[in-house]
Amino acid sequence: MAVESVTYIGDLNPAFPTGSEPKSQGDDHVRNIKAALQNSFAGFVGAVIATGVDGGAANAYTLTPADPLPGYVARMLAVFIPTANNTGASTLNISALGAKPILSVAGLPLIAGDLTAGRFYSVFYDGASFRLDNVTQNYVDQLVISGTLPGVNNPANAGKVFSTDGTAGQWISLDGRGAPIKDKGSSGTTPQVVNYADGEGQTITANGAFSLSATGFPVGRFASVLVRGLNLGAYALTSTGITWVKSDGTTTTNFGASGITFPASGEGFFALFSYGDGTIYGKAA
């Protein structure tokens, strides 16, 4: 019988040779097996997949195959079961060849809870680290958050929380230590806007007459901003959209009639606040 035609492992027929073929065909059968293996694992120059006895501890996992792995090879696959939940960046050490970092599908170090004890995980070796080839719950959560919460990955929102009134949302600072002071720089004659989203402490340096307004104050709750003004009294200050509380308790929307004065040089403070009803009040501090 002619030697079977083989390209891949699936082409091999375990019924051949039958025993009646000439012994001279033995070499051809061996060549078929070699060709099928090489074709089926094209490009691999070492181990294709490794698994074994799981061990180690949280964040430092080990894998011990029955036959020791000769060495790590780029693109090899390893399957392991963590013996404990991870609490941070983690490594995998196979056959005591050396601990290598385990990275997420995004190529980042793992964070607490990425690996759960008792679950199967598969990783690919990239030449320096083991990359998870399946997403973790943390990764999915971050995708969901970043996809539904705009600005979650913006460094400018660090230390802030996202607040919504049911219709619109914004990032606001609720850091108990207090947000960094926002220096709005020199005014010139450009209208100056005190935005609550910029933090609860802001500085304006006057070097020209300007109009003041405010925005970003949340609806439905009290919010305030303390403004440190420099040289405000040296220039005519006007305002729009701010109700000023005078010393006798009455109010006015005309800053010139508010009776509030500031030093021509140096510091002067005033507070802008809202009870969440859409009205923004101003009062000299």
Side-chain angles (χ1 to χ4, degrees), residues 5-275:
S5 177
V6 174
T7 303
Y8 300 105
I9 290 177
D11 298 327
L12 292 169
N13 187 339
F16 299 113
T18 63
S20 61
E21 285 83 357
K23 291 183 179 180
S24 60
Q25 291 182 357
D27 289 344
D28 294 326
H29 286 292
V30 172
R31 293 188 187 96
N32 271 343
I33 294 172
K34 289 181 177 180
L37 290 172
Q38 286 187 327
N39 291 336
S40 297
F41 298 102
F44 284 95
V45 296
V48 176
I49 186 169
T51 191
V53 177
D54 302 289
N59 306 334
Y61 305 100
T62 63
L63 189 63
T64 306
D67 295 317
L69 184 69
Y72 295 132
V73 180
R75 304 196 181 197
M76 65 169 283
L77 176 70
V79 179
F80 73 105
I81 302 175
T83 52
N85 296 351
N86 81 303
T87 60
S90 302
T91 61
L92 178 63
N93 190 349
I94 303 177
S95 295
L97 292 172
K100 299 293 182 180
I102 304 174
L103 305 179
S104 69
V105 292
L108 300 174
L110 302 188
I111 60 177
D114 272 339
L115 299 179
T116 302
R119 292 184 180 178
F120 283 91
Y121 292 90
S122 56
V123 290
F124 284 96
Y125 186 64
D126 65 7
S129 307
F130 286 108
R131 290 279 195 105
L132 284 169
D133 73 335
N134 50 329
V135 297
T136 65
Q137 186 62 52
N138 283 329
Y139 186 79
V140 173
D141 291 344
Q142 288 301 313
L143 285 180
V144 172
I145 292 173
S146 62
T148 57
L149 195 58
V152 69
N153 294 319
N154 186 344
N157 293 326
K160 297 182 180 180
V161 296
F162 193 78
S163 175
T164 177
D165 60 6
T167 302
Q170 64 178 332
W171 289 96
I172 58 175
S173 176
L174 288 182
D175 188 339
R177 298 168 299 176
I181 301 299
K182 173 71 172 181
D183 190 343
K184 304 182 76 67
S186 298
S187 67
T189 57
T190 302
Q192 298 295 299
V193 180
V194 174
N195 190 337
Y196 181 75
D198 288 337
E200 297 170 333
Q202 302 182 34
T203 296
I204 299 175
T205 300
N207 62 348
F210 65 89
S211 175
L212 180 71
S213 62
T215 189
F217 284 74
V219 176
R221 67 180 182 85
F222 178 81
S224 64
V225 175
L226 180 64
V227 180
R228 173 177 175 259
L230 299 176
N231 312 328
L232 291 181
Y235 304 94
L237 176 65
T238 59
S239 66
T240 57
I242 299 174
T243 298
W244 296 95
V245 181
K246 299 192 290 186
S247 59
D248 62 2
T250 60
T251 61
T252 178
T253 56
N254 183 339
F255 178 77
S258 68
I260 298 174
T261 59
F262 296 107
S265 62
E267 298 178 334
F269 294 87
F270 63 92
L272 297 179
F273 57 94
S274 170
Y275 286 94

